[in-house]
Amino acid sequence: MKTKFTQILKQRYYLLFFFSLLVQQTYAQQQITINGKVTSPTGEPIPFANVVIKNTQNGAVTDFDGSYKISAGPNQTLVFSSQGYKTVEVAINNNTTINASLGEDAMKLDEIVVVGYGSQQKKDLTGAVSVVKADEIQKRQVTTVADGLQGLVTGVKVRGGGRPGQEANVEIRGLKNLQNANPLYVIDGLVTSGNRDFNPNDIESIQVLKDASAAAIYGSRAANGVIIITTKKGKKGPLKVEVSAKSSFTVMPRYDLMGTEEFAKFNNMAYDNAGFPRQNLNMDVNTDWQDATFRTGMMQDYNASFSGGSDNSTFFMSGNYFGNEGSVIGTDFDRISFRVNSSGTKGIFSIGENLAISNSRTDEMSGSPIIDVYRMTPTIPLYDDANPGGYGYGKQGVADTFGTNPLALADLSNITNQNFRIRGNIWSELKFVPWLKYRFNFGYETSFDSYKYMRKRGSWTLNQPEDPSQTDQNKGRSETMLFENTLTFKKEFGKHDITVLVGQTFQKDKYDQIYGTKRNLPMNSGTGQYYEVLNQGDSPVVGGFLNEAALASYLGRLEYNYDNRYLFNAVIRRDGSSRFSEGNKWGNFPSISAGWRISNESFFKSEFIKDLKVRASYGELGSGNIREYESKSFINNFGQIVLGKDQNLYPSAAQVKLSNPQLRWEKLKQTNLGLDLGVLNNDLRLTADYFIARTEDVLFGFPILVSTGNDGGNPIANAATVENKGFELELAYSKKINEFSFNASVNFTKVNNKLLSLGNGQNENIIGNTMTRSGNPVGMWYVLQTDGLFQSQEEIQNYKNAEGKTIMPNAVPGDIRFKDVNGDGQITNEDKAVVGSPWPEFEMGLNAGAEYKGFDFSMNWIASHGATVYNGFRSVVDRFDDNSNYRTGIQPWTPENPNTDFPRVTKGSTLNSRGDSDRFLESGDFIRLKYIGFGYNIPKSVLEKSGITRARLSLSAQNIFTITKYQGLDPEFSNTGDNRIFERGVDNGSFPNLKTYSFGVEFSF
């Protein structure tokens, strides 16, 4: 019986084994092996991309070359995906070779966003954070990071210029104070500046923190917003070499100015109308000062990088040379920079560093050549041997002008700045358990600055005293040390995802400088050059100073995510600054934000809407935007006093700068409401934000009387309250159809600025032609109003006030009629009124791009509407009461030409030349093609035998097309004067943005 049972089991075992082999053989016959490669739109391989058989858990991962191998059924579907790229599905259809090209995911909901002392997925953000692609900046020809941000981010206003080494002004969500408006830069965890020393080619990613909840982790330094820059790191894989070269030339815009013949006609007319004898103009000279001063500028940008890594360590190294020979004579900028980023991991311990070294040299622009080219008349020669130094600059009775010969100034008065900067950080992490890690970060930055002013003997303007040769030089060193300790807890409990961060930071800043001056420098008779070292010459003056400041901080952040539906974020930071007096050193800066992802709710069912999230936040940020010792008094101990009957001289000391020991933190309170919407499989996305930002206790120094004993600048006080309300909107679309892909986005920003109060008992502040008054925006235009031209003497006599008094009895036909606003029968400063705003009603940006096979195209438009600006150029060339050049083609009033809006020209009266009138106010509206570029990636089949994995050629242009009615050089100007906050709309010789044409080549090995 037992034997029979055993035999039956054996038979069943053999039967089972037979069917098992049959099934396996059948299954094997249904499986095929598929090979292929996964690449980016530019043809670069994508390592570690996921290749999964649809509706299964079976898959593979691509290697360093983007290659994969997988077994699947002939009728199944492969799903290709990688972070930062769109997922692609491809049906197998019995094919054994399947290549996939993954388009970049412009929306990148799973993208990791750096938010300060940590990171979050983009989809989990509850604050207003914008992410900028690094290549959007790197494809432009820019000197600084800020230059490349224009038009790319809602709420971010950038105003730069084309002067070599010029750094752009950046405003995030309007003007929040009355001093410095530039944001805080954080590069690889180091609080620093994104200045001209930094190489934009090293950027991996940029995040702009715009609202208080996003920026609150940086507390007192974040009131103007935060720009976080992460530089490139190495990746696991073999050595990768990338080389790029870009050459550009720049073209200066030109004024339409008169030549000698036309100039002489109107200059003689102005003297004749005034009853003055004409100048003895030199009609044999016809100098084009623009041709002499402006030139075609050249830029060179060369970059090389090396990167790679293993399982435990990675490295990235780069070198860059950037040179800019300016479009104005005597201007130049050069930068050499190197970077090394590396990291390594061993068990629970990780360590890394980011180190950048740069040396930059700037030949600064001498004087104001943008103004001098129209201040100088065409009848003045470039050179005149009769003048000291040999340059022409006019003569009394022949060419009376106070203009400056820009060639003479560039030669005889020269300024150079040189900066050698080292900055970077060393960090280490201990990951005790997967959900708890400690991080230490030490940041260090030092800059060795060298300034030299050289004044040669010679003159550059009329009636200039003959000064001796002179050199002023200073050597300075800045040093910043940053210590940070943070502990991060991150763990999931079912549907609960919690992240807690606590930390402590300490930063110390130091700057010291020594300076010296010498006069009557000897000259090398063989070379004609001066000895510029400070051991030559006479009349020595020496000095120096030291500034120090420290900031201590404690911070904490809680992030909570429930079931990817309910998001919560809370931040608290406490800062203590040595810049404030005792009792006011510390400030607390909290924020709270929340988000609701409605699209993840069970009740929300929509195939059209893929993502829907609403956000709300409130936060308080601070600013200690004052110099090191503003809360302390300054004493001059070099004074002397005469005392006693013998009138003996005794040393003395006197307070020269008043102090304010009550200075406290400037505080920004901001509320933000936001919406994120994704439709059409997230190909179309909308982001909208509305914000209210109120800055209280604004730190500013309003002018006070010298009779108070103050002689050291205006003392700082918490003297104002500023409010900004605004709306931001961004709509973006991207799509890939076979080998063609395209993307487009439009952004809209509207910001309303208002000064709620001035403090110190003041109601208004007048600077130049602007009025800053409580209840109005900052820097409104405050000028006389014109009311046409007088056509006859009868009109002049009939222009009377209510009491019958003739308002402008000294006018003659052809003169400007001004409005008597207060009705007192005369035109005075009391008739000035607020007539316009320098603030645009809205600004826009349009970005678009397309790719097909190896070709790509991209462009960027920017627009501004609603601002009224002051044309400083017209305020000089249209006045005629002094001797400058004039605009060509003008039609001034004459008895034979009364139908014009241009007044009569006259030398003897300032009536028609008043710069404090609305005559020179113009619309600042413009639409500009900021960037347009074309690229071509050479096919891999062509490169196979060369060892080059990628080669790209590019051709681009910037600022080549502008639609505007503005008559100055550039409606997109930036006022860099001392009162730029209040006179933001004044264009008085601002260096314009230049037309730039670039050709680039990129290689990868």
Side-chain angles (χ1 to χ4, degrees):
M1 188 72 181
K2 182 178 180 181
T3 303
K4 188 175 181 179
F5 180 74
T6 302
Q7 290 176 345
I8 293 173
L9 285 178
K10 285 182 179 181
Q11 289 174 354
R12 290 185 176 180
Y13 171 80
Y14 291 137
L15 189 62
L16 182 61
F17 178 74
F18 172 76
F19 279 110
S20 175
L21 287 176
L22 184 62
V23 170
Q24 288 182 23
Q25 185 176 5
T26 304
Y27 179 77
Q29 289 175 350
Q30 291 177 347
Q31 296 286 299
I32 60 175
T33 300
I34 304 158
N35 297 279
K37 200 166 187 178
V38 181
T39 58
S40 69
T42 59
E44 285 190 321
I46 301 177
F48 312 115
N50 295 313
V51 185
V52 179
I53 301 171
K54 190 173 182 179
N55 298 324
T56 75
Q57 299 297 318
N58 300 326
V61 178
T62 59
D63 60 18
F64 297 132
D65 297 324
S67 300
Y68 73 94
K69 182 178 181 181
I70 193 172
S71 295
N75 297 318
Q76 291 184 298
T77 298
L78 297 183
V79 181
F80 300 89
S81 64
S82 181
Q83 184 173 322
Y85 296 91
K86 290 188 175 181
T87 299
V88 172
E89 295 186 7
V90 180
I92 296 174
N93 290 332
N94 288 309
N95 292 314
T96 57
T97 300
I98 298 178
N99 296 320
S101 176
L102 306 186
E104 286 193 8
D105 185 359
M107 310 314 166
K108 295 184 180 178
L109 292 183
D110 294 326
E111 180 181 2
I112 301 300
V113 178
V114 179
V115 292
Y117 303 100
S119 60
Q120 289 181 283
Q121 285 189 317
K122 189 174 182 179
K123 65 181 181 181
D124 294 334
L125 293 175
T126 54
V129 179
S130 292
V131 180
V132 182
K133 293 181 180 179
D135 59 0
E136 289 293 329
I137 292 178
Q138 292 159 357
K139 67 186 179 184
R140 303 185 187 187
Q141 186 64 81
V142 298
T143 303
T144 65
V145 180
D147 293 317
L149 288 175
Q150 178 69 302
L152 299 180
V153 184
T154 57
V156 177
K157 180 174 182 174
V158 181
R159 285 293 183 267
R163 191 180 76 244
Q166 183 173 356
E167 297 182 359
N169 294 324
V170 182
E171 281 182 3
I172 297 179
R173 292 189 164 183
L175 182 69
K176 301 186 181 69
N177 56 44
L178 301 179
Q179 296 190 82
N180 176 31
N182 282 321
L184 176 75
Y185 287 86
V186 180
I187 302 177
D188 293 326
L190 177 65
V191 176
T192 179
S193 60
N195 54 19
R196 60 193 182 187
D197 296 336
F198 178 73
N199 176 20
N201 294 289
D202 287 340
I203 297 174
E204 177 71 28
S205 66
I206 300 178
Q207 287 80 32
V208 182
L209 314 185
K210 296 184 291 186
D211 74 335
S213 68
I217 197 71
Y218 290 105
S220 65
R221 293 173 291 186
N224 291 326
V226 181
I227 296 177
I228 298 180
I229 298 174
T230 303
T231 59
K232 295 176 180 178
K233 306 295 188 292
K235 297 179 180 179
K236 179 181 177 181
L239 176 65
K240 183 177 182 180
V241 181
E242 294 183 305
V243 180
S244 66
K246 185 182 292 183
S247 295
S248 309
F249 66 91
T250 58
V251 180
M252 188 82 176
R254 299 290 185 99
Y255 299 108
D256 292 326
L257 298 172
M258 293 182 180
T260 292
E261 186 175 345
E262 189 181 13
F263 168 79
K265 171 186 173 182
F266 287 98
N267 189 256
N268 289 336
M269 182 187 295
Y271 276 76
D272 292 346
N273 288 340
F276 295 164
R278 294 180 177 182
Q279 295 188 97
N280 185 22
L281 299 174
N282 188 348
M283 300 300 291
D284 295 329
V285 175
N286 188 13
T287 302
D288 189 325
W289 288 99
Q290 295 187 98
D291 278 349
T293 306
F294 302 153
R295 62 190 180 185
T296 299
M298 294 293 294
M299 291 187 188
Q300 301 176 73
D301 192 355
Y302 304 109
N303 202 74
S305 65
F306 309 84
S307 62
S310 63
D311 291 333
N312 298 320
S313 62
T314 61
F315 70 92
F316 172 85
M317 298 185 295
S318 72
N320 170 258
Y321 169 75
F322 178 82
N324 183 1
E325 182 181 343
S327 57
V328 171
I329 189 169
T331 59
D332 191 66
F333 174 72
D334 290 275
R335 178 186 67 218
I336 298 175
S337 63
F338 300 93
R339 173 172 293 277
V340 178
N341 296 342
S342 63
S343 64
T345 301
K346 183 69 173 179
I348 66 171
F349 179 71
S350 299
I351 191 169
E353 54 75 34
N354 306 283
L355 175 65
I357 302 174
S358 64
N359 187 76
S360 64
R361 183 184 183 277
T362 309
D363 192 346
E364 304 285 2
M365 187 170 68
S366 298
S368 301
I370 311 298
I371 298 176
D372 290 330
V373 294
Y374 58 79
R375 289 285 288 165
M376 298 295 285
T377 66
T379 59
I380 300 174
L382 290 173
Y383 304 99
D384 188 340
D385 292 336
N387 294 330
Y391 289 95
Y393 43 74
K395 293 182 179 178
Q396 289 184 351
V398 177
D400 286 321
T401 179
F402 293 103
T404 296
N405 185 325
L407 277 71
L409 194 59
D411 177 29
L412 302 176
S413 176
N414 192 41
I415 297 174
T416 57
N417 269 308
Q418 188 164 340
N419 308 92
F420 178 76
R421 189 181 302 271
I422 301 173
R423 59 178 156 197
N425 65 312
I426 298 175
W427 59 268
S428 61
E429 284 186 356
L430 282 174
K431 200 167 188 178
F432 304 107
V433 288
W435 42 266
L436 184 65
K437 70 176 180 182
Y438 162 78
R439 181 183 178 95
F440 169 75
N441 180 51
F442 170 71
Y444 183 79
E445 178 174 7
T446 185
S447 176
F448 299 88
D449 306 326
S450 177
Y451 167 91
K452 179 187 289 186
Y453 166 72
M454 180 64 200
R455 196 260 193 257
K456 302 177 184 178
R457 294 191 63 183
S459 299
W460 48 75
T461 192
L462 191 62
N463 297 328
Q464 182 180 0
E466 190 172 349
D467 292 328
S469 60
Q470 177 180 328
T471 182
D472 299 334
Q473 300 179 28
N474 66 55
K475 304 287 184 181
R477 183 189 176 191
S478 65
E479 184 180 57
T480 297
M481 289 190 292
L482 175 69
F483 300 86
E484 296 181 328
N485 296 276
T486 56
L487 190 66
T488 304
F489 169 89
K490 182 176 178 60
K491 195 170 180 60
E492 293 185 23
F493 302 92
K495 295 182 179 182
H496 306 272
D497 189 342
I498 299 175
T499 302
V500 179
L501 168 77
V502 294
Q504 169 270 332
T505 76
F506 176 78
Q507 179 173 325
K508 184 176 182 180
D509 300 310
K510 176 181 177 182
Y511 183 79
D512 62 271
Q513 184 186 108
I514 56 173
Y515 58 85
T517 298
K518 280 291 190 71
R519 298 164 68 90
N520 295 308
L521 304 174
M523 180 184 291
N524 186 323
S525 59
T527 63
Q529 301 296 317
Y530 287 89
Y531 290 100
E532 300 180 11
V533 292
L534 285 176
N535 66 340
Q536 302 293 325
D538 56 30
S539 305
V541 176
V542 296
F545 62 86
L546 170 66
N547 292 331
E548 291 183 302
L551 181 74
S553 309
Y554 303 92
L555 56 97
R557 178 170 60 208
L558 168 66
E559 301 169 26
Y560 175 70
N561 182 337
Y562 176 74
D563 197 25
N564 284 321
R565 289 184 289 160
Y566 309 115
L567 311 170
F568 176 80
N569 190 301
V571 175
I572 180 67
R573 177 156 176 152
R574 179 172 171 80
D575 285 329
S577 173
S578 64
R579 298 172 190 260
F580 294 100
S581 58
E582 295 296 332
N584 294 315
K585 291 185 180 298
W586 290 92
N588 299 317
F589 308 103
S591 79
I592 187 170
S593 60
W596 178 26
R597 182 169 290 109
I598 303 173
S599 54
N600 282 1
E601 293 287 358
S602 58
F603 62 80
F604 188 88
K605 300 183 182 299
S606 173
E607 291 298 323
F608 179 72
I609 299 177
K610 291 297 182 182
D611 183 58
L612 176 60
K613 180 177 65 176
V614 292
R615 299 175 278 108
S617 70
Y618 172 81
E620 297 181 1
L621 302 175
S623 176
N625 188 27
I626 56 176
R627 290 179 294 180
E628 286 81 2
Y629 310 114
E630 290 291 353
S631 63
K632 302 181 184 299
S633 300
F634 283 71
I635 304 296
N636 180 357
N637 58 356
F638 294 104
Q640 292 180 321
I641 188 172
V642 178
L643 295 174
K645 65 178 182 177
D646 297 328
Q647 296 291 282
N648 292 325
L649 202 61
Y650 294 93
S652 67
Q655 181 176 338
V656 294
K657 182 175 182 180
L658 301 180
S659 61
N660 182 359
Q662 302 303 317
L663 289 180
R664 56 190 179 275
W665 289 99
E666 185 178 281
K667 185 165 287 189
L668 169 71
K669 300 177 179 180
Q670 188 174 93
T671 301
N672 191 92
L673 302 175
L675 170 71
D676 300 321
L677 174 67
V679 300
L680 300 176
N681 199 29
N682 276 330
D683 288 336
L684 178 64
R685 288 198 62 83
L686 171 72
T687 301
D689 284 274
Y690 173 76
F691 64 89
I692 301 175
R694 180 187 177 105
T695 309
E696 300 175 350
D697 294 330
V698 172
L699 294 161
F700 187 70
F702 285 104
I704 64 173
L705 297 175
V706 180
S707 58
T708 60
N710 182 64
D711 190 28
N714 301 320
I716 300 294
N718 295 98
T721 300
V722 178
E723 181 182 79
N724 290 278
K725 294 182 180 180
F727 176 71
E728 301 169 357
L729 179 70
E730 182 175 18
L731 187 65
Y733 182 75
S734 66
K735 189 68 175 178
K736 180 176 175 64
I737 304 173
N738 298 324
E739 294 185 88
F740 176 73
S741 64
F742 64 95
N743 64 83
S745 67
V746 60
N747 59 70
F748 173 92
T749 302
K750 180 177 177 61
V751 179
N752 293 325
N753 169 271
K754 183 185 294 185
L755 185 76
L756 298 182
S757 65
L758 275 172
N760 292 344
Q762 298 187 71
N763 182 53
E764 59 187 32
N765 181 50
I766 299 174
I767 294 180
N769 292 324
T770 69
M771 164 76 77
T772 299
R773 178 182 290 164
S774 297
N776 291 326
V778 173
M780 298 290 283
W781 296 116
Y782 183 66
V783 292
L784 296 174
Q785 300 175 74
T786 58
D787 189 24
L789 305 178
F790 290 114
Q791 296 295 331
S792 65
Q793 191 65 38
E794 183 181 4
E795 279 191 20
I796 296 172
Q797 296 300 321
N798 290 334
Y799 186 41
K800 301 178 179 181
N801 68 351
E803 286 76 29
K805 180 180 179 182
T806 301
I807 297 172
M808 299 179 63
N810 297 322
V812 299
D815 282 346
I816 297 173
R817 179 170 55 231
F818 293 97
K819 291 183 180 181
D820 181 18
V821 174
N822 64 356
D824 64 354
Q826 56 184 337
I827 303 300
T828 66
N829 285 337
E830 300 301 318
D831 294 307
K832 290 184 178 181
V834 174
V835 300
S837 171
W839 296 87
E841 293 182 15
F842 65 83
E843 294 187 300
M844 296 184 66
L846 170 66
N847 303 282
E851 297 176 0
Y852 179 69
K853 294 187 176 179
F855 297 91
D856 61 82
F857 161 79
S858 60
M859 66 177 179
N860 165 232
W861 293 79
I862 61 173
S864 178
H865 171 72
T868 299
V869 297
Y870 186 88
N871 190 332
F873 161 65
R874 282 189 50 232
S875 74
V876 174
V877 299
D878 286 359
R879 59 185 295 168
F880 281 86
D881 66 323
D882 70 347
N883 286 305
S884 298
N885 204 348
Y886 316 126
R887 282 191 299 138
T888 186
I890 62 170
Q891 298 292 326
W893 188 96
T894 64
E896 299 76 27
N897 182 40
N899 298 319
T900 180
D901 61 355
F902 200 103
R904 73 184 183 101
V905 298
T906 179
K907 172 70 175 173
S909 170
T910 60
L911 186 63
N912 296 331
S913 61
R914 295 195 64 157
D916 57 349
S917 74
D918 62 4
R919 180 186 175 196
F920 305 117
L921 294 179
E922 299 182 16
S923 168
D925 294 358
F926 69 89
I927 300 173
R928 167 167 283 175
L929 178 58
K930 191 67 179 176
Y931 170 87
I932 184 170
F934 302 87
Y936 176 65
N937 292 283
I938 299 175
K940 286 186 172 293
S941 58
V942 178
L943 302 173
E944 282 180 348
K945 296 182 180 180
S946 65
I948 299 174
T949 58
R950 177 176 177 264
R952 170 180 163 82
L953 307 176
S954 63
L955 185 66
S956 64
Q958 296 170 212
N959 305 310
I960 60 171
F961 179 70
T962 304
I963 302 172
T964 184
K965 294 182 179 179
Y966 181 62
Q967 299 180 65
L969 289 184
D970 183 9
E972 195 194 349
F973 64 85
S974 173
N975 187 342
T976 57
D978 294 336
N979 296 312
R980 62 184 180 273
I981 297 297
F982 299 96
E983 297 184 306
R984 62 188 299 117
V986 175
D987 180 8
N988 191 20
S990 301
F991 206 106
N993 289 270
L994 306 179
K995 293 181 179 180
T996 304
Y997 303 89
S998 306
F999 175 75
V1001 181
E1002 302 172 39
F1003 294 97
S1004 296
F1005 300 90

